[in-house]
Amino acid sequence: MEMFLALLVSALVVALVVIGLFVFGLRRRLIQRSGGTFDCSLRWTVPDAGDGSPGSAGGIPSGKGWVYGVARYSGDRVAWFRVFSYAPRPRRVLERSGIEVLARRMPEGEEELALLSDSVVLGCLHHGRHLELAMSEDALTGFLAWLEAAPPGQRVNVA
């Protein structure tokens, strides 16, 4: 009887893992179904370099705070979804009119381990909040083109 119970519990655990992975993959397909998606890591809370906080030694960016995600263009917005989540809604929504590009740089220090190998980091302000996006060079070209394609009369700042 104990052997049967152990096999039953094991089978249930395996079934839950398989169902979880299926739902996880299904969510990603649904996000990407409408097109206009690209891999994009996001750091919503950017530590000030050299401010004495942990991970900001000597102005070298820390790898902390980066979250891997998928971004999707949706009109004048970019919806950003965490990759490792079951949430059907985006975690962040960035409005084109609220984005100001401050700088572009390559990952440094620990960031090289935290980000995909071909990433470029884009420092931005979104409605006054400093954030960073990391994406491939191709995705960056598309993102900057999307920003500059704002309707007439909209203020868009691209450095």
Side-chain angles (χ1 to χ4, degrees):
M1 184 65 173
E2 288 180 24
M3 182 68 142
F4 175 75
L5 197 54
L7 285 174
L8 182 62
V9 169
S10 298
L12 286 174
V13 168
V14 169
L16 287 175
V17 168
V18 169
I19 290 169
L21 290 173
F22 175 78
V23 171
F24 190 69
L26 180 64
R27 175 186 172 267
R28 174 111 184 198
R29 296 253 326 158
L30 290 174
I31 291 169
Q32 293 179 322
R33 184 176 71 184
S34 62
T37 61
F38 58 99
D39 291 332
C40 178
S41 295
L42 170 74
R43 180 156 54 180
W44 189 251
T45 305
V46 180
D48 292 328
D51 66 356
S53 64
S56 64
I60 297 174
S62 165
K64 294 180 181 175
W66 285 106
V67 181
Y68 184 59
V70 175
R72 179 178 66 199
Y73 296 110
S74 179
D76 285 339
R77 296 183 173 141
V78 168
W80 183 84
F81 300 83
R82 290 177 67 126
V83 165
F84 301 110
S85 171
Y86 291 107
R89 295 188 179 176
R91 179 74 171 191
R92 304 278 184 218
V93 177
L94 308 174
E95 294 87 16
R96 177 172 21 207
S97 62
I99 299 172
E100 180 180 347
V101 176
L102 302 175
R104 176 190 322 192
R105 63 180 176 80
M106 299 306 291
E108 302 171 7
E110 295 175 8
E111 286 181 323
E112 293 182 78
L113 301 173
L115 300 172
L116 295 175
S117 62
D118 65 341
S119 293
V120 177
V121 178
L122 196 63
C124 300
L125 279 178
H126 182 254
H127 295 296
R129 182 183 188 109
H130 190 204
L131 61 95
E132 290 181 322
L133 301 168
M135 60 191 84
S136 70
E137 191 71 47
D138 290 341
L140 176 62
T141 300
F143 183 76
L144 294 175
W146 173 79
L147 279 178
E148 292 174 356
Q154 268 192 356
R155 175 187 64 85
V156 175
N157 297 315
V158 178

